[in-house]
């Protein structure tokens, strides 16, 4: 059972299965706390694991008993995190813009663990600028990280996800994948593309039992956001009481820990004070 939610009959110490408790609920109408999947021993590949949402997700998944492959470019940060997490963590320095790095990442996961239960496409970046003033080099970086990185990792992961009950591809999109924002037009374009890709992919992989899900965060206290003065970003996040990376990590675990036949397709999670977008 997960550390988040466990199923027990109220006022007893009896632990029951999901199907047993459902029957008990129908017959007795007693309160039931829903059982989630036991995540112990499952394997996750996490991109962008060196900071922010990826780092927080690695910690929470390991706390749930999972093994994690930590992928990012900043090897020193990955190694520091792996030392904290212990034997459950494997460091895999990866530049997602390099197709050979991506192949090596999933070859490593296959060799070490035999397969993958969760691909968490978390790496991404955004440059702020009115489109008329934006730089093609920055377009390219956003498209590489936010779209091509997702495509490469997802393509390489699918063979390792097949045949594993409850397997999931979960990708961090954004509220910017639902709403256009001035100054973020190319970033919005990459995230709208991710949303469309996942909708089609869900229909392709669902019949095989592979779940395809999106998490769409609003403002989060992370390193994300180039070309915005640090003080302006800090003030905005402070005013909104922005999410912490751990909040988004909890959304990931909630989604992944559902029973294998259950798909939480999209989670839009934002600070309660963030009324726009």
């Amino acid at each position: 059972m997960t550390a988040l939610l466990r199923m027990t009959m109220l006022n007893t110490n009896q632990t029951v299965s999901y199907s047993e408790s459902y029957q008990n609920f129908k017959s007795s109408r007693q309160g039931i706390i829903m059982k989630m999947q036991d995540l112990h021993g499952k394997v996750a590949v996490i991109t962008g694991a060196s900071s922010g949402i990826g780092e927080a997700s690695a910690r929470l998944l390991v706390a749930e008993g999972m093994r994690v492959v930590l992928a990012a470019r900043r090897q020193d940060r990955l190694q520091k995190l792996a030392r904290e997490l212990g034997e459950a963590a494997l460091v895999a320095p990866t530049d997602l813009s390099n197709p050979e790095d991506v192949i090596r990442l999933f070859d490593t996961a296959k060799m070490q663990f035999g397969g993958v239960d969760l691909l968490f496409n978390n790496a991404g970046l955004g440059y702020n600028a009115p489109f008329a003033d934006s730089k093609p080099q920055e377009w390219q970086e956003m498209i590489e990280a936010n779209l091509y990185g997702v495509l490469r990792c997802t393509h390489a992961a699918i063979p390792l996800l097949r045949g594993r009950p409850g397997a999931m591809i979960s990708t961090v999109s954004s509220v910017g994948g639902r709403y256009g924002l001035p100054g973020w037009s190319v970033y919005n374009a990459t995230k709208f593309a991710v949303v469309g890709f996942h909708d089609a992919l869900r229909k392709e992989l669902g019949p095989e039992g592979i779940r395809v899900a999106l998490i769409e965060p609003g403002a989060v206290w992370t390193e994300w956001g180039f070309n915005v003065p640090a003080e302006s970003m800090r003030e905005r996040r402070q005013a909104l009481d922005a999410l912490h990376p751990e909040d988004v990590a909890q959304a990931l675990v909630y989604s992944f820990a559902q029973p294998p036949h259950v798909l939480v397709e999209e989670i839009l999670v934002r600070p309660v004070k963030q009324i726009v977008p």
Side-chain angles (χ1 to χ4, degrees):
M1 299 182 197
T2 72
L4 292 177
L5 292 172
R6 303 175 188 278
M7 177 179 290
T8 57
M9 297 298 296
L10 295 186
N11 302 319
T12 77
N13 292 322
Q14 178 188 9
T15 300
V16 295
S17 71
Y18 181 77
S19 58
E20 288 171 341
S21 63
Y22 178 61
Q23 294 301 323
N24 290 338
F25 176 75
K26 289 200 298 182
S27 63
S28 67
R29 299 288 183 173
Q30 293 184 15
I32 303 296
I33 301 173
M34 188 174 71
K35 178 183 177 181
M36 312 293 271
Q37 276 196 82
D38 182 355
L39 303 185
H40 185 82
K42 291 184 179 290
V43 177
V45 173
I46 304 171
T47 68
S50 60
S51 65
I53 294 168
E55 180 180 356
S57 297
R59 288 196 177 97
L60 189 53
L61 291 172
V62 168
E64 292 290 330
M66 290 184 62
R67 295 170 290 179
V68 294
V69 181
L70 307 173
R73 289 178 293 183
R74 294 179 291 187
Q75 184 172 356
D76 56 337
R77 290 201 181 188
L78 294 180
Q79 290 173 334
K80 180 180 178 182
L81 178 59
R83 286 193 295 271
E84 173 190 331
L85 299 179
E87 294 181 356
L90 177 66
V91 170
T94 306
D95 180 350
L96 299 185
S97 68
N98 184 339
E100 292 181 357
D101 271 18
V102 174
I103 292 170
R104 188 179 306 112
L105 167 63
F106 288 93
D107 283 348
T108 298
K110 182 178 181 180
M111 181 171 56
Q112 293 292 323
F113 302 117
V116 172
D117 299 289
L118 171 65
L119 168 61
F120 187 38
N121 286 311
N122 167 69
L125 57 85
Y127 285 96
N128 179 265
F131 183 69
D133 301 326
S134 62
K135 300 175 182 178
Q137 178 59 36
E138 293 176 351
W139 308 346
Q140 185 66 34
E141 288 184 41
M142 285 185 280
I143 293 168
E144 275 288 349
N146 301 348
L147 182 55
Y148 276 113
V150 170
L151 297 180
R152 291 186 184 108
C153 288
T154 302
H155 191 263
I158 288 171
L160 304 186
L161 293 161
R162 284 187 164 129
R164 297 175 76 95
M168 174 178 278
I169 298 161
S170 180
T171 298
V172 175
S173 180
S174 169
V175 294
R178 289 192 177 197
Y179 309 100
L181 298 167
W184 299 101
S185 55
V186 178
Y187 175 78
N188 290 146
T190 64
K191 293 302 186 178
F192 270 75
V194 164
V195 172
F197 168 63
H198 279 67
D199 189 41
L201 189 67
R202 172 181 62 82
K203 296 165 186 173
E204 293 178 8
L205 297 182
E208 298 184 47
I210 297 175
R211 302 179 293 175
V212 178
L214 286 169
I215 300 176
E216 299 158 315
V220 187
W221 287 102
T222 68
E223 299 173 359
W224 181 89
F226 293 106
N227 296 345
V228 181
E231 183 63 18
S232 297
M233 189 69 83
R234 186 192 65 80
E235 289 175 357
R236 169 174 162 75
R237 289 168 173 161
Q238 196 167 48
L240 293 175
D241 193 11
L243 302 177
H244 294 274
E246 293 77 12
D247 299 323
V248 184
Q250 288 190 79
L252 169 68
V253 174
Y254 169 79
S255 175
F256 181 56
Q258 296 294 323
H261 69 287
V262 175
L263 171 63
V264 180
E265 184 179 342
E266 293 184 72
I267 297 179
L268 192 157
V269 54
R270 69 168 90 206
V272 68
K273 293 181 181 180
Q274 186 179 352
I275 58 173
V276 292

